[in-house]
Amino acid sequence: MRAIGWLLERGDLASTPAGLPGRGPRFTALVLGGLTPSLRVVSSQRWLRQVAADKSGVRPPQRTPPMSDPDYCSKYFRRLHSRQLMPLVLALALLSAACGGTVVSKTEVGPGKKELIKPVSPSFHFWLGNSQRNFYGSGPWSDGPLEIVWEAETGYISGRLHPDLWGGTSWPGQPAVEGNRVYFPSADGNVYCIDDRDGSVIWKFKAKDSFKATPTIAGDRIIASGLDHHVYCLNARDGTVIWDFETGFEVDGSVAVLDGRIYFGGEDGFFYCLNLADGSLIYKTERLGSMEGSCTAVDGRIYIGTEHGELYCLNQTDGTTVWKARIGADSDSTPAVAGGFVYTAAEDGYVYCFRQSNGEPVWKFKADGGLSKNYVERSGIWASPIVVKDRIYIGSNNGYMYCLSADKGEVVWQQLMPAPIWGTSPVVDGRLVFGDKFGWIHMLSALDGKTLGELKIGENINSTPAVVGGRIYIGAFNGKLHCLRTKPDGWEKLEGMGG
């Protein structure tokens, strides 16, 4: 048993594992290890000193204790008198009973100097955050300009259907994040596990062709798919293969994982459900049509679009069709489900809204103008709609970023960018973040489309950023993987530009 108990006064995501509540850096006591050799304890005396500092309004410089260091924890433990430890143990036992004995994973504490922006980030395990595709990331943001924290280089690879060399990340290309590890799907045929603290490669897994979809994190496993027709289950710790499943053609979409089952559509036209434990086939539908986008799983139903212009609603249990609606063009978008409606888009430049209960069309919006006359793809849409409250955000090949009303599909605002937009645009704390095909990262206000920041990182960005803990993870098509952030408040003074 890996028992871990927590007593929190206040905590934040920089000092507590992902998923635990809290908002500040102080916590009364933390015990890690259970039956492992090292029992880790943070003393209540330190907490009392911090509370006193808060009341006085003066915060002394703090150092994060190296809780991942067994030697430190052993020394700290020996300093505690048994009379101090006993009330803590009793309190932890009561807390464990109240929580049903829930096991909480050990957090990793990042090394190095203290930063104004929290160095340890919450997690981001799926394409668009979860199997419902409605978690878009987390802040906080500062008001400084965008800057590169680190970058990593990939190789290049040519494939059966792309004789030209591919590197970096391609469409849709959003990475996944767990603690200090970032998992990039690379167009060079590797899944990269990158150390978020310095951009170094922890491990990489090589397949036979490019990876495009988000590597889904399912516990201690990574589910990755790409152009070599395979879905791989990898050990998250070292990238070794646990199992792999071969389909009939490419798998561009990212899988959904629910209750020990994996769901995805393939370009061979079939929708699949696999067992997470061993990769065995649970069901495979009749041929629905080539599926490049990812599926969305909501309330026991699966929503996915096809190259043949259909939007399917499937029964999650057995894959039978509940309803299907006509889109009319190749759809690469991941459907967004919100407020009783299903939103999607297609390569003909339309954004569509359907009724969730029966697939009845509600409205459609046509992207037009802008840069459309300059490109053969015209105003086509490869991005997925992002729904935040009563608004929809989506970019087009015509260079426009659109904000539409969710109920009628009317333009709230539109902003013309320098180049086509293929990636999806997550909205986090009131800001849109996305790339364009000239290699620029843009940050806009979700309220009115005003530009809040921009930075050029490559020649072509087809992929979608992951925004986690105020950091932006994205690759360009030029063989680079990047971590960006907004410069911390007070950056002018830090760089000698202010008084």
Side-chain angles (χ1 to χ4, degrees), residues 23 55 78 167 248:
R23 296 171 305 193
K55 291 180 178 179
R78 289 197 297 270

Side-chain angles (χ1 to χ4, degrees), residues 73-74 105 136 228 259 353 385:
C73 298
S74 178
S105 299
Y136 306 128
D228 69 354
D259 300 324
C353 175

Side-chain angles (χ1 to χ4, degrees), residues 26-78:
R26 292 167 299 284
F27 50 95
T28 305
L30 161 65
V31 176
L32 299 173
L35 299 180
T36 60
S38 298
L39 182 65
R40 300 161 171 88
V41 180
V42 176
S43 71
S44 58
Q45 286 91 337
R46 164 166 287 190
W47 171 74
L48 291 172
R49 288 196 298 270
Q50 291 171 334
V51 170
D54 281 347
K55 291 180 178 179
S56 69
V58 178
R59 294 288 309 275
Q62 299 181 24
R63 293 170 51 195
T64 302
M67 300 308 296
S68 60
D69 183 351
D71 292 333
Y72 172 91
C73 298
S74 178
K75 293 175 183 177
Y76 212 112
F77 176 78
R78 289 197 297 270

Side-chain angles (χ1 to χ4, degrees), residues 50 73 99 146 240 260 300 311 371 424:
Q50 291 171 334
C73 298
C99 297
L146 288 168
T240 54
L311 173 65
L371 308 175
T424 298

Side-chain angles (χ1 to χ4, degrees), residues 131-475:
S131 292
Q132 295 77 38
R133 317 305 188 192
N134 61 7
F135 174 65
Y136 306 128
S138 58
W141 302 116
S142 68
D143 292 329
L146 288 168
E147 67 172 353
I148 295 175
V149 179
W150 52 256
E151 62 181 32
E153 292 193 22
T154 73
Y156 291 87
I157 188 176
S158 60
R160 295 180 304 105
L161 301 180
H162 59 98
D164 52 325
L165 294 175
W166 287 8
T169 57
S170 183
W171 176 95
Q174 188 180 44
V177 182
E178 169 61 35
N180 288 324
R181 294 188 172 203
V182 186
Y183 300 92
F184 278 93
S186 179
D188 76 348
N190 286 285
V191 173
Y192 285 88
C193 176
I194 304 292
D195 191 324
D196 184 37
R197 292 168 292 191
D198 57 13
S200 60
V201 176
I202 298 173
W203 58 256
K204 61 182 179 179
F205 167 77
K206 179 71 171 178
K208 300 174 183 177
D209 207 335
S210 299
F211 283 103
K212 296 174 70 175
T214 299
T216 299
I217 302 174
D220 60 355
R221 299 182 175 198
I222 303 294
I223 311 300
S225 58
L227 303 191
D228 69 354
H229 310 181
H230 285 257
V231 176
Y232 296 96
C233 178
L234 309 176
N235 186 313
R237 180 177 59 83
D238 57 15
T240 54
V241 176
I242 298 173
W243 55 257
D244 76 85
F245 179 88
E246 185 172 9
T247 69
F249 200 51
E250 299 172 356
V251 183
D252 284 358
S254 184
V255 306
V257 180
L258 292 164
D259 300 324
R261 291 185 170 192
I262 295 172
Y263 303 90
F264 64 95
E267 289 199 58
D268 60 1
F270 298 103
F271 189 84
Y272 294 86
C273 176
L274 307 182
N275 190 321
L276 174 61
D278 58 11
S280 58
L281 180 66
I282 296 175
Y283 68 74
K284 172 182 172 182
T285 66
E286 62 182 356
R287 194 180 296 273
L288 306 178
S290 175
M291 289 165 272
E292 287 189 73
S294 300
C295 66
T296 301
V298 177
D299 296 334
R301 294 185 175 184
I302 301 286
Y303 303 87
I304 193 166
T306 74
E307 182 180 4
H308 300 302
E310 308 283 357
L311 173 65
Y312 279 89
C313 173
L314 306 176
N315 186 313
Q316 182 179 314
T317 303
D318 57 15
T320 55
T321 299
V322 177
W323 54 256
K324 72 174 180 177
R326 184 66 182 162
I327 298 174
D330 185 353
S331 178
D332 306 302
S333 293
T334 300
V337 180
F341 300 99
V342 182
Y343 304 93
T344 192
E347 292 183 16
D348 62 355
Y350 278 96
V351 181
Y352 297 87
C353 175
F354 299 92
R355 202 167 300 281
Q356 183 183 354
S357 59
N358 57 14
E360 175 188 356
V362 178
W363 56 257
K364 64 180 181 178
F365 165 81
K366 179 68 168 73
D368 208 353
L371 308 175
S372 59
K373 63 182 180 181
N374 301 330
Y375 299 94
V376 296
E377 297 89 354
R378 308 295 291 177
S379 295
I381 297 176
W382 278 259
S384 298
I386 296 295
V387 182
V388 179
K389 296 182 179 179
D390 59 349
R391 294 187 175 189
I392 296 170
Y393 302 89
I394 195 165
S396 166
N397 189 76
N398 68 3
Y400 273 111
M401 176 58 65
Y402 293 98
C403 174
L404 309 176
S405 64
D407 58 345
K408 297 180 180 179
E410 297 173 341
V411 175
V412 178
W413 57 257
Q414 62 186 37
Q415 174 78 278
L416 184 62
M417 311 312 295
I421 304 166
W422 277 35
T424 298
S425 51
V427 177
V428 177
D429 291 353
R431 302 186 186 191
L432 284 80
V433 183
F434 59 95
D436 69 28
K437 292 181 75 66
F438 280 0
W440 287 85
I441 291 290
H442 301 278
M443 181 178 287
L444 305 183
S445 166
L447 179 64
D448 55 15
K450 178 182 176 181
T451 297
L452 301 177
E454 57 186 14
L455 182 68
K456 185 173 176 61
I457 64 171
E459 289 76 40
N460 182 1
I461 301 175
N462 290 325
S463 52
T464 297
V467 182
V468 187
R471 289 190 170 196
I472 302 167
Y473 305 95
I474 191 167

